[in-house]
Amino acid sequence: MKLREFAKQLGLSPTTVSRALSGYPEVSEATRARVASEAKRLGYRPDINAVRLKTGRAGAIGVMMARSGEIHFAEFVSGMAQCLETADTDILITPITAHNDDDEIQAYRRLVESRRVDAVIIHSPRPKDPRIEVLNSLGLPFLVHGRSETEHVHAWLDIDNENAVRRATEHLLDLGHRRIAMINGLRGKTYSIHREQGFRIAHQERGLVADPHLMVCDKFSDESGFRHARSFLESTNAPTAIVAGSTMTALGVYRAVRSLGMTVGQDVSVIAHDDVFPYLTAENMVPSLSSTRSSMRAAGTRCAELTLQLIAGRAADDIHELWPVELILRESTAAPR
């Protein structure tokens, strides 16, 4: 089916249909959704080679994946795929050394030189992130999943990490806990800094000071959660509650508590940030896990949508989205014994 025939069936102009499929911001969300739905129903696909020849676009969005990989990344890319499956846009995944900015920056330079992508999405920024400066100088459209305090213009989507941990900590304080530990994400990342701020502010508002000996930064994993929780709980004057940076971290905390003959929700309260993994849900843990909820998959979908808009010409300084985080209380938190 030709573009003109497809547009006629929809009662729209070929230009509107083309722009809707390309994610142009001047086309309404309702029209874009309708065109995408009908394209899928009728099996319409534009001639990719013709589109690329006409627009000069590669038809791909790039993302970098540390060679170690992680389930958070898999969920994010799954969300991107949900958006891009009807947009005739591919995802180009480039392997890099974990947490190595130089390696990642060189990868961006290669992508620009090879013209294999139209834009990239970067993750876990730092307050002064060199990647943002370099991408601006290269002229490659990009979206930041997170935020940075750099002076360089950048489009971003982030969750309210400070308020998420603040509310979680306030809940534990309201229950009567005063020795609260925190297993945070990687040190130096903006999200980790914001989460620590939320943790400290919750204490300060009650005239308390968060104990620095009960605060650690590490990657989100079952292993790190087990190791740090075990160390905390075996120490003198152990915490009665733990704030975990992710559901995977909380899984390790649960193991540590049980390995010491204690019970989650009775001897130790646990609350975590829940990224809504389909294969590890907070409500199915035993006991069910109190959590702050924000879907990594939904973030991937929205980041892909916004990146398509950047490619279509929307200004980077017009894309700043801060998502609120929901607090869900379950069985893993209770008043201290």
Side-chain angles (χ1 to χ4, degrees):
M1 182 183 291
K2 303 290 186 181
L3 173 62
R4 192 173 299 278
E5 296 169 355
F6 178 52
K8 186 177 180 180
Q9 291 223 21
L10 292 174
L12 299 170
S13 71
T15 300
T16 299
V17 171
S18 177
R19 287 176 174 271
L21 290 172
S22 299
Y24 279 78
E26 60 265 31
V27 180
S28 70
E29 289 289 343
T31 300
R32 274 202 294 269
R34 180 184 167 217
V35 171
S37 176
E38 285 299 293
K40 185 174 182 179
R41 185 179 71 83
L42 296 171
Y44 171 76
R45 297 182 65 84
D47 185 326
I48 298 302
N49 290 327
V51 170
R52 291 176 180 174
L53 184 63
K54 181 178 179 181
T55 63
R57 294 179 184 171
I61 294 173
V63 289
M64 303 292 167
M65 182 183 75
R67 294 188 182 114
S68 58
E70 58 171 86
I71 59 174
H72 298 84
F73 181 82
E75 274 295 282
F76 185 87
V77 172
S78 295
M80 288 183 64
Q82 289 179 1
C83 168
L84 299 179
E85 64 180 349
T86 58
D88 289 306
T89 301
D90 299 325
I91 303 171
L92 179 64
I93 299 175
T94 301
I96 57 170
T97 303
H99 319 309
N100 187 323
D101 284 342
D102 290 338
D103 190 18
E104 189 169 344
I105 287 170
Q106 288 305 313
Y108 291 134
R109 294 187 187 280
R110 291 195 301 272
L111 289 178
V112 172
E113 292 169 359
S114 64
R115 302 178 65 184
R116 287 184 292 163
V117 298
D118 300 308
V120 293
I121 298 174
I122 67 176
H123 300 271
S124 302
R126 297 197 300 273
K128 303 295 182 183
D129 200 298
R131 297 173 297 173
I132 294 175
E133 180 180 1
V134 169
L135 285 168
N136 267 301
S137 68
L138 293 173
L140 181 66
F142 67 96
L143 179 92
V144 179
H145 180 212
R147 276 178 290 170
S148 180
E149 297 171 6
T150 177
E151 61 188 16
H152 298 281
V153 172
H154 62 286
W156 56 265
L157 178 147
D158 197 11
I159 64 170
D160 192 347
N161 283 288
E162 179 181 313
N163 195 48
V165 172
R166 180 177 178 175
R167 292 180 64 194
T169 308
E170 286 173 345
H171 167 63
L172 295 172
L173 291 168
D174 289 342
L175 289 172
H177 294 278
R178 292 298 178 266
R179 294 282 296 168
I180 304 174
M182 180 184 183
I183 305 175
N184 202 351
L186 293 172
R187 189 177 304 280
K189 302 297 185 180
T190 306
Y191 73 86
S192 291
I193 294 170
H194 289 172
R195 291 183 183 188
E196 182 177 324
Q197 289 172 349
F199 187 71
R200 291 182 181 277
I201 290 171
H203 283 80
Q204 290 169 2
E205 289 184 338
R206 286 166 171 74
L208 304 171
V209 177
D211 187 344
H213 298 101
L214 294 179
M215 301 164 65
V216 294
C217 290
D218 208 335
K219 62 182 179 180
F220 298 137
S221 70
D222 170 82
E223 182 276 331
S224 64
F226 177 85
R227 176 165 41 86
H228 292 301
R230 179 95 185 201
S231 176
F232 287 144
L233 295 172
E234 289 180 321
S235 65
T236 303
N237 199 14
T240 59
I242 298 175
V243 177
S246 77
T247 311
M248 284 300 298
T249 305
L251 196 63
V253 174
Y254 271 45
R255 284 202 300 119
V257 172
R258 290 172 181 145
S259 72
L260 294 171
M262 296 187 289
T263 302
V264 172
Q266 295 180 25
D267 302 297
V268 182
S269 287
V270 180
I271 193 166
H273 181 64
D274 172 24
D275 286 308
V276 198
F277 299 123
Y279 34 81
L280 179 60
T281 57
E283 57 265 31
N284 289 337
M285 293 176 68
V286 181
S288 58
L289 176 66
S290 293
S291 64
T292 55
R293 170 180 288 176
S294 180
S295 169
M296 186 65 75
R297 183 168 296 202
T301 299
R302 183 57 179 161
C303 282
E305 292 172 351
L306 294 173
T307 304
L308 288 175
Q309 293 178 25
L310 280 173
I311 294 169
R314 186 175 176 185
D317 57 5
D318 189 41
I319 300 178
H320 297 156
E321 290 193 8
L322 182 63
W323 287 9
V325 176
E326 184 181 5
L327 175 63
I328 303 173
L329 302 180
R330 299 189 179 94
E331 300 170 331
S332 65
T333 52
R337 284 183 169 180

